[in-house]
Amino acid sequence: MGSISENCDDSISLAAPFRPLEPEEFRKQAHVMVDFIADYYKNIENYPVLSQVEPGYLKNRLPETAPHLPESFETILKDIKKDIVPGMTNWLSPNFFAYFPATVSSAAFVGEMLCTGFNSVGFNWLASPASTELEMVVIDWLANMLKLPKSFMFHGTGGGVIQGTTSEAILCTLIAARDGALEKIGMENVGKLVVYGSDQTHSFFQKTCKVAGIFPCNIKLIPTTREDNFSMSPIALREQIEADVADGLVPIFLCTTVGTTSTAAIDPVSEVAKVANDFNIWVHVDAAYAGSACICPEFRQYLDGIELVDSFSLSPHKWLLCFLDCCCLWLKKPHLMVKALSTNPEYLRNKRSEFDGVVDFKDWQIGTGRRFKALRLWLVMRSYGVENLKRHILSDVQMAKMFEGLVKSDPRFEIIVPRAFALVCFRLNPGKGYDDEIDKEILNKELLDLINSTGRAYMTHTKAGGIYMLRFAVGTTLTEEHHVYAAWELIKECTDASLTKTNIIE
Amino acid sequence: MGSISENCDDSISLAAPFRPLEPEEFRKQAHVMVDFIADYYKNIENYPVLSQVEPGYLKNRLPETAPHLPESFETILKDIKKDIVPGMTNWLSPNFFAYFPATVSSAAFVGEMLCTGFNSVGFNWLASPASTELEMVVIDWLANMLKLPKSFMFHGTGGGVIQGTTSEAILCTLIAARDGALEKIGMENVGKLVVYGSDQTHSFFQKTCKVAGIFPCNIKLIPTTREDNFSMSPIALREQIEADVADGLVPIFLCTTVGTTSTAAIDPVSEVAKVANDFNIWVHVDAAYAGSACICPEFRQYLDGIELVDSFSLSPHKWLLCFLDCCCLWLKKPHLMVKALSTNPEYLRNKRSEFDGVVDFKDWQIGTGRRFKALRLWLVMRSYGVENLKRHILSDVQMAKMFEGLVKSDPRFEIIVPRAFALVCFRLNPGKGYDDEIDKEILNKELLDLINSTGRAYMTHTKAGGIYMLRFAVGTTLTEEHHVYAAWELIKECTDASLTKTNIIE
């Protein structure tokens, strides 16, 4: 914004010009913030991992309305320390073992700074050629690292795009599959469309299907079992599809998972894709967490059969050091998605889009606006190189193996499913006095609460096959071996306390 | 990630530990990047506003695969200057007058740094109490600045959420309206659902409706006219709704706009909402661009009748200095949206969500993961105060008024619709020799291409009521009066050249 002309009839009387992006002031504040964040990382172990505040804590600390006049940066920084930091559940703490880790890096941080700094809005090629073209480059780079077939690459016959989250990626591909089917059978038959996942598929899958107008009764979740390590059975899938076809329904979409959110279960991509291919069903592989591991030869086998699927997504914000949010989606036939999602308003028309066949990423996503998302991933890949990214994955897996060994060494504990990637699912199962599942669940809930209440580690739980279990997900960027050992010591300490307390009560 | 234990059986042989978030290295790189960006801002006028590269320019400059070994930060920075910056359409250039400006500020930048730095994933309250609660606070603050009724505030009976883009905001509210209707009439009647916009409603509205499974034939766009300044006619709306009801259709949703993308046209919120209320239709007000202006008493009138609508959105990333992406959505009955979008998987269950009635923002959006989005807006409001934010809006409007005056002073030009907010829509209309619309369109297209090819300014066009016109949107953060004057001089210069060239050819 600029100064106000005094010559204009209806000029507004104001004091000195307001310049919210004065470069030297920007420089000063941003340098201060760099130090603030670097210090936060240095001291992160001093904060409780899980925030210990009570609901509503902040409302009472802040005024009800925004200030009329500016406040100094120093005042605001003080308030961040005083009011915001205590309310943080510190995802980057090395003692964070909850959910799946959201990994980060210096390279991604500076990449994100640059993305923010440019503030380019790359809805079409012309609005930001560099942003569009770099995204195409890094999507192909990562496809190469994963040894995806050329049919998924811009260098081949496919292509990909960076979405925010897996939900969006699945919504976009589902719409492509849905519209392809409706074109054949007519909109009025939307109630016949059926989609498939397993009972371990992430909960957003059902939500996404409902958003897309799939009838809830037509979202079929194939049951899994502990015996199969909660992976999808190709036989059960085929039976369900055959039954649905016999009922006059139209199967359109299968969401299969490599590394489920509960237990990191792995669906057999090749086998279920073959089943789906027999029925001409769009197959999507959601490898949000574990897909990153497949850059290592040790894990690439889990993508065997990927040439049989239609789309594939993984989230580098989970395990490739990228900060939130960054979900890469590859498609064999992007034009099917573009057809379903394209718009062509006059105010965005331009020669490049009309005559030069450029990629306009607005037609590869739900929204219109988009940031220069590729910078983070590009900086991560260049700054660390493929070799270090592989090492990073293997080191996390190694630490999880170590933790699994510790659990196994204590007869009071039980591993529920074999460790997959860097996730260990286990429970306290001390035998006599805890015979039925309800007793065991209560005991483990208490143990988990106790661990988390110390602030020294944060773990979460899940339930699969009716079994309540604790999840220990290794791999925040700052986690080292000694943190895993310390967490195990804490778990044992809290276990002793839990068991003693229960025994005394009894 | 950590070092590898040498005691483990299957340990992997690696060199020194890989530490991608070593605080001192982070500090060093981030400081360098701060200076890089500050210098970019200082020198931004030296770059062409619209990038002058050709499609495919980057593919040929970068290798086909990611490097195996790390590259130095200095090398990467050099490549950014050499390969990325030339491919930028510089949205933050003070000579950018295209689309709508995406405004920024130092305060929002440091807020974004902090959001990235924390990398908290606030899908539910527990996972990031501060992020959830600060979002509730700033949503109420902004509601207060806009004088929204208490029925839209957490402090009252409503609430709001920060989405990425308006598309997402509308998708979420549309799903709430859709599911509410389907509950009454049954899923099988989805083909009866009708939604309304005008022919000036943003193109994403149709896309969003299709994503949600609304039949394309049931997306009714009320025609507008130049005489009405392209605003929606409540009479035409009522007629269309009545006709649809008579046809046995079920009207569910109206998207009305304050400040359309083409010409910043303003639908009469109160009047169209009254019509919609008569039919129990969910009314959404999309004020992505112009909503921010309504913090000024001068513009608040355009929200008159807001108490009659169900939801309202505006994007502070457009006109409140916030960087992309930040779209605020308020609802009168958030529970209707939460009902439609909530999930409750075991691995996210916790006592706070189950017993304490906390807000879990995952149920207010399509995806699951979400960043600490409120920080940017909070820092902007505190760092500048409401008074400066108002000044900033009024100053942009003032510059647009000035530009409008300049256009009016040159008889070769014609203002197509009265300036609204900070957007001027005009065309070159020199009279003899350019009598029909096609001649005028060709002339203005040529003029626009010529202006943009200089790299000294970037403007875009639109078409409404069959008229091709140029859009001059004032207000990037760095734009000052002299930039507007310079742009006008450039336009006149290019006009002279265009007319001379055409005359010579004739």
Side-chain angles (χ1 to χ4, degrees):
Chain A
M1 64 156 281
S3 58
I4 302 294
S5 162
E6 294 176 339
N7 302 326
C8 264
D9 281 348
D10 45 3
S11 69
I12 302 138
S13 168
L14 288 174
F18 168 52
R19 293 206 164 89
L21 193 67
E22 197 287 306
E24 295 315 317
E25 181 64 22
F26 168 91
R27 195 189 305 270
K28 208 175 97 190
Q29 292 194 6
H31 279 311
V32 172
M33 188 54 91
V34 166
D35 288 325
F36 184 92
I37 297 170
D39 292 344
Y40 168 72
Y41 292 151
K42 263 178 94 165
N43 300 316
I44 196 161
E45 292 189 55
N46 299 338
Y47 305 111
V49 191
L50 179 67
S51 172
Q52 309 288 312
V53 298
E54 290 295 313
Y57 90 99
L58 192 59
K59 194 170 55 183
N60 305 321
R61 297 187 186 199
L62 301 185
E64 270 195 43
T65 54
H68 276 275
L69 297 175
E71 296 182 80
S72 77
F73 187 46
E74 292 66 34
T75 307
I76 299 171
L77 271 181
K78 267 187 208 156
D79 288 351
I80 290 169
K81 280 186 197 163
K82 181 168 67 69
D83 298 325
I84 302 300
V85 172
M88 298 302 301
T89 291
N90 294 291
W91 280 71
L92 299 190
S93 166
N95 299 311
F96 183 99
F97 303 100
Y99 314 108
F100 283 126
T103 60
V104 304
S105 59
S106 302
F109 191 89
V110 293
E112 179 65 5
M113 284 171 77
L114 195 57
C115 163
T116 305
F118 282 143
N119 204 44
S120 75
V121 190
F123 38 70
N124 58 23
W125 183 88
L126 189 67
S128 191
S131 138
T132 303
E133 299 208 2
L134 190 66
E135 190 156 328
M136 294 167 74
V137 167
V138 297
I139 275 284
D140 268 10
W141 279 14
L142 189 48
N144 252 308
M145 286 162 66
L146 292 158
K147 303 204 186 309
L148 296 188
K150 287 268 184 199
S151 53
F152 284 100
M153 297 190 202
F154 285 109
H155 264 101
T157 52
V161 58
I162 302 179
Q163 305 267 350
T165 64
T166 309
S167 306
E168 293 167 47
I170 293 194
L171 182 55
C172 291
T173 51
L174 176 61
I175 297 296
R178 183 197 70 182
D179 286 6
L182 290 179
E183 208 168 84
K184 286 180 201 145
I185 64 169
M187 286 291 292
E188 67 282 8
N189 288 309
V190 63
K192 291 188 180 168
L193 304 182
V194 202
V195 300
Y196 302 87
S198 86
D199 60 10
Q200 297 301 305
T201 308
H202 195 288
S203 63
F204 68 64
F205 177 60
Q206 283 175 272
K207 175 167 163 177
T208 302
C209 293
K210 284 183 209 162
V211 166
I214 304 297
F215 286 21
C217 57
N218 288 345
I219 304 168
K220 308 288 175 100
L221 302 181
I222 310 299
T224 61
T225 63
R226 186 177 173 189
E227 291 65 45
D228 283 345
N229 293 328
F230 303 110
S231 78
M232 189 187 285
S233 151
I235 297 165
L237 174 66
R238 184 179 291 276
E239 283 170 3
Q240 181 65 53
I241 296 173
E242 283 174 348
D244 292 333
V245 171
D247 282 348
L249 298 174
V250 180
I252 58 161
F253 193 86
L254 166 67
C255 180
T256 174
T257 313
V258 172
T260 61
T261 308
S262 247
T263 65
I266 302 158
D267 292 338
V269 171
S270 184
E271 291 174 70
V272 296
K274 276 177 195 154
V275 173
N277 286 350
D278 285 347
F279 297 88
N280 212 9
I281 295 173
W282 184 299
V283 184
H284 181 84
V285 175
D286 165 15
Y289 161 63
S292 299
C294 300
I295 64 169
C296 305
E298 289 83 346
F299 296 109
R300 177 55 178 76
Q301 56 180 305
Y302 297 120
L303 296 188
D304 284 356
I306 196 77
E307 67 282 0
L308 302 174
V309 315
D310 299 277
S311 51
F312 168 66
S313 61
L314 71 80
S315 296
H317 68 231
K318 283 203 158 70
W319 212 357
L320 275 184
L321 310 176
C322 270
F323 287 96
L324 253 71
D325 38 18
C326 177
C327 168
C328 294
L329 167 68
W330 290 266
L331 302 107
K332 238 188 224 167
K333 295 180 180 167
H335 68 274
L336 296 179
M337 193 172 80
V338 169
K339 189 180 169 193
L341 297 177
S342 70
T343 56
N344 192 21
E346 182 66 37
Y347 41 81
L348 296 184
R349 281 195 191 150
N350 65 83
K351 287 180 187 167
R352 296 310 196 179
S353 299
E354 281 175 47
F355 304 117
D356 291 344
V358 293
V359 165
D360 288 343
F361 275 125
K362 74 177 171 52
D363 298 333
W364 297 55
Q365 63 180 16
I366 299 297
T368 307
R370 69 196 323 269
R371 311 169 72 226
F372 195 157
K373 301 180 181 187
L375 280 169
R376 260 182 292 164
L377 201 49
W378 189 53
L379 262 87
V380 165
M381 292 196 266
R382 293 194 63 184
S383 298
Y384 304 128
V386 179
E387 284 313 304
N388 274 316
L389 294 175
K390 287 179 182 172
R391 285 175 59 186
H392 137 75
I393 298 280
L394 294 176
S395 148
D396 288 348
V397 172
Q398 190 60 37
M399 287 191 283
K401 275 185 191 170
M402 186 187 89
F403 181 81
E404 185 188 29
L406 294 169
V407 174
K408 280 181 176 167
S409 71
D410 187 326
R412 297 174 299 176
F413 289 90
E414 176 188 11
I415 299 283
I416 304 296
V417 285
R419 177 198 50 75
F421 305 103
L423 176 68
V424 181
C425 294
F426 68 108
R427 67 173 171 180
L428 178 57
N429 191 1
K432 72 174 177 59
Y434 303 94
D435 296 317
D436 67 24
E437 285 303 318
I438 294 174
D439 291 340
K440 289 177 195 166
E441 179 166 336
I442 292 170
L443 179 68
N444 279 278
K445 270 185 180 169
E446 281 176 2
L447 173 59
L448 185 61
D449 281 348
L450 192 56
I451 293 166
N452 292 340
S453 71
T454 66
R456 288 158 54 198
Y458 180 30
M459 292 163 54
T460 49
H461 77 284
T462 192
K463 222 172 183 174
I467 300 171
Y468 182 99
M469 61 191 103
L470 309 183
R471 294 170 78 266
F472 192 85
V474 182
T476 82
T477 310
L478 295 169
T479 301
E480 303 199 1
E481 236 177 57
H482 68 91
H483 298 106
V484 175
Y485 276 117
W488 174 243
E489 288 305 315
L490 173 67
I491 292 167
K492 284 198 298 185
E493 191 182 301
C494 292
T495 297
D496 293 343
S498 280
L499 292 175
T500 310
K501 180 186 141 214
T502 325
N503 287 338
I504 288 166
I505 290 167
E506 279 169 357
Chain B
M1 65 155 281
S3 59
I4 302 295
S5 162
E6 293 176 340
N7 301 326
C8 264
D9 281 348
D10 44 2
S11 70
I12 301 136
S13 167
L14 288 175
F18 168 54
R19 293 204 165 91
L21 194 68
E22 197 287 306
E24 296 315 317
E25 181 63 22
F26 168 91
R27 196 188 303 269
K28 209 175 96 191
Q29 291 194 6
H31 279 311
V32 172
M33 188 54 92
V34 167
D35 287 325
F36 184 92
I37 297 171
D39 292 343
Y40 168 72
Y41 292 151
K42 264 179 92 165
N43 300 316
I44 196 163
E45 292 189 54
N46 299 338
Y47 304 111
V49 191
L50 178 68
S51 172
Q52 309 288 313
V53 298
E54 290 295 313
Y57 90 99
L58 192 59
K59 193 172 54 183
N60 305 322
R61 297 187 187 199
L62 300 185
E64 269 195 44
T65 53
H68 276 274
L69 297 175
E71 297 181 80
S72 78
F73 187 45
E74 292 65 34
T75 307
I76 299 171
L77 270 182
K78 267 187 209 156
D79 288 350
I80 290 170
K81 280 186 196 162
K82 181 167 67 70
D83 297 325
I84 301 300
V85 172
M88 298 301 300
T89 291
N90 294 290
W91 280 71
L92 299 190
S93 166
N95 300 312
F96 182 99
F97 303 100
Y99 314 108
F100 283 127
T103 61
V104 305
S105 59
S106 303
F109 190 88
V110 293
E112 178 66 7
M113 284 171 76
L114 194 58
C115 162
T116 305
F118 283 142
N119 205 44
S120 75
V121 190
F123 38 70
N124 59 21
W125 183 87
L126 190 67
S128 191
S131 138
T132 302
E133 299 207 4
L134 190 66
E135 190 156 329
M136 295 168 75
V137 167
V138 298
I139 276 283
D140 268 9
W141 279 14
L142 190 49
N144 252 308
M145 286 162 65
L146 293 159
K147 302 201 187 312
L148 295 188
K150 286 268 184 201
S151 52
F152 285 100
M153 297 190 203
F154 286 108
H155 264 102
T157 52
V161 58
I162 302 179
Q163 304 267 349
T165 63
T166 310
S167 307
E168 292 167 48
I170 293 195
L171 182 56
C172 291
T173 52
L174 176 61
I175 297 296
R178 184 198 69 181
D179 286 5
L182 290 178
E183 209 168 84
K184 287 179 201 147
I185 65 170
M187 285 291 292
E188 67 281 8
N189 289 308
V190 63
K192 290 187 180 169
L193 304 183
V194 201
V195 299
Y196 302 87
S198 85
D199 59 11
Q200 297 301 305
T201 307
H202 194 290
S203 62
F204 68 65
F205 176 60
Q206 283 175 273
K207 176 167 163 178
T208 302
C209 292
K210 284 184 209 161
V211 165
I214 304 298
F215 286 21
C217 57
N218 289 345
I219 304 168
K220 307 288 175 101
L221 303 180
I222 310 298
T224 61
T225 63
R226 186 178 173 189
E227 291 66 45
D228 283 343
N229 293 329
F230 303 110
S231 78
M232 190 187 285
S233 152
I235 297 165
L237 174 66
R238 184 179 292 276
E239 284 170 2
Q240 181 65 55
I241 297 173
E242 283 174 348
D244 292 335
V245 171
D247 282 349
L249 298 174
V250 180
I252 57 161
F253 194 87
L254 166 66
C255 180
T256 172
T257 312
V258 173
T260 61
T261 308
S262 247
T263 64
I266 302 157
D267 292 338
V269 171
S270 186
E271 292 174 70
V272 295
K274 278 177 194 155
V275 173
N277 286 350
D278 285 347
F279 297 88
N280 213 9
I281 295 173
W282 184 298
V283 184
H284 181 84
V285 175
D286 164 16
Y289 160 63
S292 299
C294 301
I295 63 169
C296 305
E298 290 83 346
F299 296 108
R300 177 56 178 74
Q301 56 180 306
Y302 298 120
L303 295 187
D304 284 357
I306 196 77
E307 66 282 0
L308 303 173
V309 315
D310 298 278
S311 51
F312 168 65
S313 60
L314 71 79
S315 296
H317 67 230
K318 282 203 157 71
W319 212 358
L320 276 183
L321 310 176
C322 271
F323 286 97
L324 252 71
D325 39 18
C326 176
C327 168
C328 294
L329 167 68
W330 291 267
L331 301 107
K332 240 188 224 165
K333 296 180 179 167
H335 68 274
L336 296 178
M337 195 172 79
V338 168
K339 189 180 169 193
L341 298 178
S342 71
T343 56
N344 192 21
E346 183 66 39
Y347 42 81
L348 297 185
R349 280 194 191 151
N350 65 84
K351 287 180 187 168
R352 296 311 195 178
S353 299
E354 282 176 47
F355 304 116
D356 291 344
V358 294
V359 165
D360 287 343
F361 274 126
K362 75 178 170 52
D363 298 333
W364 296 56
Q365 63 180 17
I366 299 297
T368 307
R370 69 197 320 271
R371 312 170 70 224
F372 195 158
K373 299 180 183 188
L375 280 169
R376 258 182 294 163
L377 201 48
W378 189 53
L379 262 88
V380 165
M381 292 197 266
R382 294 194 62 184
S383 298
Y384 304 129
V386 179
E387 284 314 304
N388 275 315
L389 294 175
K390 287 179 182 171
R391 285 176 59 186
H392 137 75
I393 299 279
L394 293 176
S395 147
D396 288 348
V397 172
Q398 189 60 38
M399 287 192 282
K401 275 185 189 169
M402 188 188 88
F403 181 81
E404 186 189 27
L406 295 169
V407 174
K408 280 181 177 168
S409 72
D410 188 326
R412 297 174 299 177
F413 289 90
E414 175 188 12
I415 298 283
I416 305 295
V417 285
R419 176 198 52 74
F421 305 104
L423 175 68
V424 180
C425 294
F426 68 106
R427 66 172 170 180
L428 178 56
N429 191 1
K432 71 173 179 56
Y434 302 94
D435 296 317
D436 68 24
E437 285 304 318
I438 294 173
D439 290 339
K440 289 177 197 168
E441 179 166 335
I442 292 171
L443 179 68
N444 278 279
K445 271 185 178 168
E446 280 177 1
L447 173 60
L448 185 62
D449 281 348
L450 191 56
I451 293 166
N452 292 340
S453 71
T454 66
R456 289 158 52 198
Y458 179 31
M459 292 162 55
T460 49
H461 78 284
T462 192
K463 221 171 183 176
I467 300 171
Y468 182 98
M469 60 191 105
L470 309 182
R471 294 171 77 266
F472 192 86
V474 183
T476 81
T477 311
L478 295 169
T479 301
E480 304 199 0
E481 237 178 56
H482 68 91
H483 298 107
V484 176
Y485 277 116
W488 173 243
E489 289 304 315
L490 174 66
I491 292 167
K492 284 198 299 185
E493 193 182 299
C494 292
T495 298
D496 292 343
S498 281
L499 292 176
T500 311
K501 179 186 141 213
T502 325
N503 287 337
I504 287 165
I505 290 167
E506 280 169 356

